[in-house]
Each structure stands twice: as C-alpha cells, then as structure tokens.
Amino acid sequence: MKRLSVAIASAALLLAAMAVLGAVLVTKSRTMAGSASTARAVAKQASRFYASNPRAMQLADRIAARNDLDAQWTRRIIGSARVIEPIKKLVLPPPESGQKKNWNAYRARFVEPTRIRAGVRFRDAHLDALQRAEQQFGVPAGIIVGVLGMETLWGQQTGKIRVLDALATLAIDFPREHPRAAARSEYFVQELEQFLLLMHHSDSDPRTPRGSYAGDMGMPQFMPSSWARYGVDFNNDGHIDLWNAEDAIGSVANYLQGHGWMAGLPVYYRIAAGVSEPVLRSLGSGGLAPRHSIEALHEQGISLVNDQGQELAPHSLAELRLALVELENRSSPSLFVAATGNLQALTRYNPSRYYAMAVTELGAAIAAVSPQRSQGR
C-alpha cells in the first residue's frame, strides 16, 4: 500500500508538472501568435505609406533632380503620402450603359431654385470682383459664377482628401486595367511634381491641402498645373489662394480666356423650330469645332435666335463660325443648339457638353436675378 501511495503521489506530481508546462507552452504560443499578428499589423500599416515603396522613393529622387530640390525633402514628403485604394476604382471608366443621356434631367439637377439662390448670394457678395474679372478677361460674371457653382457649390464642397495622397496614389499606383494607364499615370506624375513645386515655392506644407480624389483643389477645382499656369492673385495679397473667392474668380476667368473664350459672344444661339432632327444631326456630326457660318446654316433652312428672341440675319456676323450640338433627352426629342467657340472653351474645363451647357444655364438663371448690394449678401 505504501508503494502504491508513493506511485500515486509521483503520478500526481508528474501530471501537475505536465499541466504547468502545458500552460507555459500555451501562453508562449499565444504570445508568439500575438507578436506575429502585431508585426503583420505594423507591416500592413507601414505599407500604406509610400516611404517603404522603392518606386515612390525613385520618383522622389527624379523630381528632386529635375527641379533642384532637396532629395531628402521630396523623399520625406512623398514617403508621408498614404495609399488610398478606393481612388483606383474611381478613376476607371464607367461601364457603358447603352442608354441615351438626358439633358433635361441633367439640367434639373443643377439649375434649380436652391442652387440659384445660393448663386445669387455669392454673386452679390463678390460683385466687384466679378465685374473686374469680366472687364479684365472678357468672361461674363454669370459664366464665372456658373463654373464655381457647378464645381464646388461656391466653395461648400471642395473635397476632404489629402491632395498629396490622391496624387501619389495615382502617380505611383494608377490602375493597370485602365485603357490609357501609362498616359494617365504619367499625367499624375507631372501633377504631383507640379504640386510639390507649388508647395515648396510658397513655403507651404504639402501634407495640408485637401481636395478631390483626383487632386483637384480649391473653389475652382484646379489641378496643380492649372494653378501654376492660370492661378491669379486677384485680391493682391501677395499669394494665390484658390480657396479664396476673389482669387478663384480671377483664376476661372483667366483659365477660360486662356482656352479660347471670345469676349462679347454668347455660348450658343437657339435654333428656330421647324427643322427636322435628321438634318440637324447630319450637320452636327463634326463635334464641337465651329465650322458653319450663319449664312450656310440659313441655306439649309436653319434660322438662329439670340437671347432677345430676335432672328439673326443670314449675312450677320460673317466671320463667325458655329457648331451644331446635340443634347440627348432619352426618349424625348433632342435639343440642338448652334454653339460658338465659347462652348468648346467651357469643355476645356470639363469635357462634357452637358456640363458646359449647365454652367451656361445656371449662370443665366443667376444673372436674371437683379443684384442686391444693399442687403449685404
């Protein structure tokens, strides 16, 4: 019995020791697993920054060499940029829907009472700057106000994404499945480079500005190259600030003038009723490039009407050339207009003819409301 008791006690001690060892091994295993998990999390977090990306650092060195910048500065700034994965999907072309566009619905989204009232308030608050811009650049106040309203609702929606992150993502990791991936990637490399130059020359922190997912900035949503070329210090405070209304007004006017805006001409003339769609469509097959004279259109049975409702004489404005532009309305008849080169100038801001027409219509609706200086709006 004594031997049996000793054996039982020894077995108990052995089992207890094995239990303690097992607990130690489990704890160690959990600790190792936790450490591995933490390491993976740290690595994943680090991979979201471009500091660990060799291609990003090579780009930083190239930008520094091309522009006589401090390579440590370009490396530090580009290295602090974060990869934003959703942007890669946003820049892909949308799938073809197969449906016609709907001008009436598009127009109704932007030319509506709430937006018009907001535009009138902005116009009245900045009437002096708008008048100066019209005199200096030849672009009507209504067009400038229309552009700013379409772009950012007069500064209310300028974007919340760090411009540095957006430009770095699209310069370094532009989606390969895009049909023009190489050209678009190079475009964003140039925009990132221009952005860094703008920030460096103005002694600004490149990590601060916020904008759209494509890197557009400020009230007019300029890309860095447009800021550098067309930005205007319109309030004469010594620097260009595209989040400032006066600078935005002058910059939009300068941009449009630089892209062919013709002072004194409307964006389009209305076409008098009675012309069949097939005739208009055949004459409008040349795109937005103006190529028809008023006389030539008149010979085809097409009469044009100005804003005052007056029909243009066949021999008036002999040097003027127009484009017949179609705006689809789904199952309803299309709207056709005779566009001057000013419609084409607006499409250099945004390539959509529907956008250009909405800018024009929104600006006209705002201009139709008399200014109220005395109300201080």
Side-chain angles (χ1 to χ4, degrees), residues 38-207:
T38 300
R40 285 194 299 270
V42 170
K44 184 177 181 181
Q45 182 71 14
S47 70
R48 295 180 62 235
F49 290 87
Y50 276 111
S52 60
N53 185 310
R55 291 184 297 113
M57 294 300 97
Q58 291 168 7
L59 176 58
D61 290 341
R62 290 200 302 272
I63 290 175
R66 281 198 294 260
N67 299 282
D68 195 25
L69 297 174
D70 181 356
Q72 290 185 345
W73 182 80
T74 57
R75 278 175 162 260
R76 184 173 71 254
I77 296 302
I78 291 179
S80 69
R82 290 186 290 262
V83 184
I84 304 181
E85 292 295 334
I87 286 179
K88 301 177 186 179
K89 295 181 179 179
L90 292 173
V91 297
L92 292 174
E96 293 290 338
S97 66
Q99 289 186 320
K100 287 185 174 182
K101 296 183 183 297
N102 190 334
W103 161 241
N104 286 336
Y106 187 92
R107 183 187 187 281
R109 284 173 52 199
F110 299 103
V111 189
E112 46 84 26
T114 300
R115 192 176 291 252
I116 292 169
R117 286 193 295 270
V120 168
R121 289 194 295 271
F122 178 86
R123 188 270 318 271
D124 290 353
H126 303 285
L127 198 56
D128 291 339
L130 288 163
Q131 290 174 343
R132 281 195 294 119
E134 185 166 351
Q135 292 169 1
Q136 183 172 338
F137 300 103
V139 181
I143 293 295
I144 300 170
V145 174
V147 167
L148 294 173
M150 290 286 290
E151 290 295 328
T152 61
L153 201 62
W154 301 284
Q156 296 181 45
Q157 300 169 355
T158 58
K160 298 181 179 180
I161 298 172
R162 278 206 321 178
V163 173
L164 176 65
D165 296 339
L167 293 176
T169 298
L170 295 175
I172 300 164
D173 286 316
F174 196 88
R176 295 180 180 179
E177 59 269 35
H178 192 286
R180 298 177 57 240
R184 296 302 291 165
S185 176
E186 180 57 30
Y187 166 77
F188 283 105
V189 166
Q190 294 172 7
E191 293 297 338
L192 175 60
E193 184 170 348
Q194 187 62 70
F195 175 69
L196 293 179
L197 286 171
L198 284 168
M199 296 294 102
H200 186 269
H201 292 158
S202 63
D203 197 25
S204 302
D205 187 345
R207 295 163 293 195

Side-chain angles (χ1 to χ4, degrees), residues 13-31:
L13 288 171
L14 179 62
L15 288 173
M18 290 177 65
V20 170
L21 178 61
V24 169
L25 289 173
V26 168
T27 301
K28 184 175 182 180
S29 175
R30 286 176 178 171
T31 301

Side-chain angles (χ1 to χ4, degrees), residues 113-354:
T114 300
R115 192 176 291 252
I116 292 169
R117 286 193 295 270
V120 168
R121 289 194 295 271
F122 178 86
R123 188 270 318 271
D124 290 353
H126 303 285
L127 198 56
D128 291 339
L130 288 163
Q131 290 174 343
R132 281 195 294 119
E134 185 166 351
Q135 292 169 1
Q136 183 172 338
F137 300 103
V139 181
I143 293 295
I144 300 170
V145 174
V147 167
L148 294 173
M150 290 286 290
E151 290 295 328
T152 61
L153 201 62
W154 301 284
Q156 296 181 45
Q157 300 169 355
T158 58
K160 298 181 179 180
I161 298 172
R162 278 206 321 178
V163 173
L164 176 65
D165 296 339
L167 293 176
T169 298
L170 295 175
I172 300 164
D173 286 316
F174 196 88
R176 295 180 180 179
E177 59 269 35
H178 192 286
R180 298 177 57 240
R184 296 302 291 165
S185 176
E186 180 57 30
Y187 166 77
F188 283 105
V189 166
Q190 294 172 7
E191 293 297 338
L192 175 60
E193 184 170 348
Q194 187 62 70
F195 175 69
L196 293 179
L197 286 171
L198 284 168
M199 296 294 102
H200 186 269
H201 292 158
S202 63
D203 197 25
S204 302
D205 187 345
R207 295 163 293 195
T208 299
R210 292 315 199 252
S212 79
Y213 68 84
D216 310 82
M217 292 175 283
M219 293 180 68
Q221 292 291 275
F222 273 12
M223 292 297 287
S225 59
S226 293
W227 184 337
R229 185 169 183 180
Y230 299 106
V232 176
D233 175 17
F234 211 50
N235 63 0
N236 297 312
D237 67 350
H239 67 281
I240 300 168
D241 178 4
L242 295 183
W243 286 264
N244 172 273
E246 284 191 65
D247 286 2
I249 286 167
S251 299
V252 168
N254 189 33
Y255 182 98
L256 291 175
Q257 184 194 59
H259 285 88
W261 184 273
M262 295 176 287
L265 284 179
V267 173
Y268 69 90
Y269 294 103
R270 290 184 289 116
I271 295 174
V275 186
S276 67
E277 276 200 17
V279 170
L280 293 169
R281 192 167 287 118
S282 66
L283 293 172
S285 59
L288 299 181
R291 59 193 183 94
H292 302 291
S293 67
I294 295 175
E295 184 177 8
L297 292 175
H298 194 268
E299 290 172 356
Q300 296 289 331
I302 300 172
S303 298
L304 306 182
V305 179
N306 62 21
D307 290 341
Q308 290 75 42
Q310 301 167 335
E311 187 173 315
L312 299 184
H315 301 291
S316 62
L317 302 171
E319 301 300 319
L320 179 63
R321 293 296 178 267
L322 302 164
L324 290 190
V325 176
E326 179 181 8
L327 300 163
E328 296 176 339
N329 271 316
R330 287 279 166 86
S331 58
S332 300
S334 295
L335 171 69
F336 288 85
V337 298
T340 70
N342 287 341
L343 183 74
Q344 195 171 33
L346 283 169
T347 62
R348 298 296 298 275
Y349 207 104
N350 180 306
S352 167
R353 64 184 65 184
Y354 294 83

